[in-house]
Amino acid sequence: MKRVLITGGAGFLGSHLCDRFIKEGYYVIAMDNLITGDLRNIEHLFKHPNFEFYHHDVSKFIHVPGELDYILHFASPASPIDYLKIPIQTLKVGSLGIHNCLGLARVKKARVIIASTSEVYGDPLVHPQTEEYWGHVNPVGPRGVYDEAKRFQEAMTMAYHTYHGLETRIVRIFNTYGPRMRLNDGRVLPAFIGQALRGEDLTIFGDGSQTRSFCYVADLVEGIYRLLLSDYAYPVNIGNPAEITIKQFAEEIIKLTGTDQKIVYKPLPKDDPKQRQPDITKAKEILGWEPKVSRAEGLAITYDYFRSLPKERLYDEANHRDFDKK
């Protein structure tokens, strides 16, 4: 039985990856320091004979006994509300964390795939974004801690690939949504749905003309799985190229939830990207992958998930948790 380590395994994407690898017959080791992850995302796996959980911060030395075939480095705060509140941890998991994962991979002779992001493109001057675009990033702006952590992570991974001959893969993830997102994580979809369920007005930052492209989590996991098992070592965009403005998206959420909230506008945060749309030509050609789940279908599933949460979570999670600032 092949063994896989998934860092950030209790997070939104990490937990769905745990499910997928269990389903594919792997022995799964999830690792998470729970700074933004949640054990409720993986508690259904605790009794599974091929699953174990390590409560550990990957920014510190990683020890995993036994063989490892694959390492998926998905540990990182992934939303503005997180990485603006814990900027140092965000930088550490993208630098010390990837260094520890790559070192472990060398010892175990394992293949590594890292979760990079569309944020490496910054506020792009090229549209849609291809993997060859080098980006337009402000390294000292408030979002720079996340953007540059991921850019460094890519550089470190490629250095281990070229210098040590390590088998590495890089996935650049665009906006993704689905069950298990945190209501309070600051990203637009849970923010809108949470506001609608609480009877609050929907808040748009800026004039709503900025665009995003939303990929359902099952489609994303399929793309990640195919890339891991491919022979391609350079970055690949995985996302849904169906672009929509934030204002249109807010209107879709109001229609979906059957609420009659108003849309209110607040100033756009500094360095917030105006456009996001992946060019997925490489994913199609190399992996035979493209998204299958329509936004209408994915949003319906996601809304049902949020609507099923206990009411106290709807309100408790409206307040962001506190973090250790070390």
Side-chain angles (χ1 to χ4, degrees):
M1 180 178 289
K2 291 195 171 182
R3 289 161 51 91
V4 57
L5 170 66
I6 301 175
T7 73
F12 164 51
L13 288 182
S15 65
H16 285 282
L17 286 163
C18 288
D19 287 341
R20 176 61 185 266
F21 279 85
I22 288 287
K23 182 182 174 185
E24 297 289 345
Y26 289 78
Y27 188 94
V28 174
I29 302 162
M31 184 175 287
D32 205 300
N33 66 353
L34 304 178
I35 197 166
T36 59
D38 193 324
L39 287 178
R40 288 176 293 199
N41 292 334
I42 53 173
E43 63 185 358
H44 61 286
L45 296 174
F46 285 164
K47 292 184 179 178
H48 198 288
N50 299 331
F51 179 82
E52 61 181 307
F53 174 72
Y54 286 18
H55 185 193
H56 182 69
D57 181 352
V58 297
S59 299
K60 299 170 183 173
F61 177 77
I62 303 170
H63 172 67
V64 177
E67 295 182 0
L68 280 178
D69 297 280
Y70 301 113
I71 298 172
L72 285 74
H73 184 41
F74 278 69
S76 176
S79 73
I81 200 168
D82 289 338
Y83 51 74
L84 294 178
K85 194 157 188 175
I86 46 170
I88 294 169
Q89 290 94 328
T90 302
L91 284 161
K92 284 169 73 174
V93 77
S95 54
L96 302 176
I98 187 59
H99 191 216
N100 289 334
C101 287
L102 292 166
L104 180 65
R106 277 194 73 204
V107 170
K108 302 290 187 181
K109 298 181 172 55
R111 180 180 298 180
V112 180
I113 185 168
I114 65 162
S116 189
T117 171
S118 60
E119 299 297 331
V120 300
Y121 301 122
D123 187 5
L125 304 177
V126 170
H127 194 73
Q129 292 82 57
T130 68
E131 290 87 349
E132 286 70 34
Y133 177 51
W134 290 355
H136 178 228
V137 174
N138 176 7
V140 295
R143 301 174 69 100
V145 296
Y146 184 67
D147 302 357
E148 296 295 1
K150 292 296 190 178
R151 287 160 70 95
F152 176 86
Q153 185 173 276
E154 287 194 12
M156 179 69 97
T157 298
M158 192 51 64
Y160 265 74
H161 173 75
T162 55
Y163 187 78
H164 290 301
L166 195 67
E167 286 197 32
T168 58
R169 307 289 181 263
I170 299 172
V171 55
R172 286 182 181 162
I173 298 168
F174 281 69
N175 294 78
T176 305
Y177 69 97
R180 301 181 195 158
M181 294 189 89
R182 289 200 343 259
L183 273 173
N184 65 338
D185 82 352
R187 284 182 275 198
V188 64
L189 185 146
F192 281 171
I193 291 182
Q195 287 175 325
L197 288 172
R198 290 190 296 268
E200 301 167 1
D201 292 334
L202 272 59
T203 304
I204 287 180
F205 295 94
D207 63 6
S209 64
Q210 66 270 38
T211 68
R212 295 293 183 267
S213 307
F214 296 97
C215 184
Y216 186 64
V217 64
D219 282 333
L220 187 88
V221 166
E222 177 64 27
I224 292 166
Y225 188 76
R226 292 190 189 194
L227 178 58
L228 175 68
L229 299 182
S230 77
D231 296 323
Y232 192 74
Y234 291 91
V236 176
N237 291 337
I238 299 290
N240 192 323
E243 190 179 17
I244 185 174
T245 70
I246 296 300
K247 185 175 185 296
Q248 290 171 326
F249 189 59
E251 290 165 350
E252 281 190 5
I253 296 297
I254 290 171
K255 184 177 179 182
L256 171 71
T257 58
T259 53
D260 58 359
Q261 275 85 343
K262 300 193 303 290
I263 296 173
V264 296
Y265 295 87
K266 292 187 177 180
L268 190 69
K270 183 176 171 57
D271 300 330
D272 195 62
K274 310 298 187 300
Q275 290 182 304
R276 269 286 177 269
Q277 184 187 27
D279 183 313
I280 61 169
T281 304
K282 273 192 171 60
K284 287 179 177 177
E285 292 177 352
I286 296 168
L287 310 177
W289 176 90
E290 60 184 317
K292 305 290 186 191
V293 180
S294 70
R295 193 166 61 248
E297 183 184 352
L299 283 177
I301 298 168
T302 306
Y303 177 53
D304 284 346
Y305 165 77
F306 282 124
R307 196 166 48 173
S308 73
L309 293 176
K311 197 154 191 178
E312 59 270 19
R313 281 185 67 183
L314 182 63
Y315 289 90
D316 288 348
E317 295 198 15
N319 299 309
H320 194 262
R321 70 179 73 177
D322 288 326
F323 291 111
D324 181 359
K325 296 195 176 194
K326 291 179 190 172

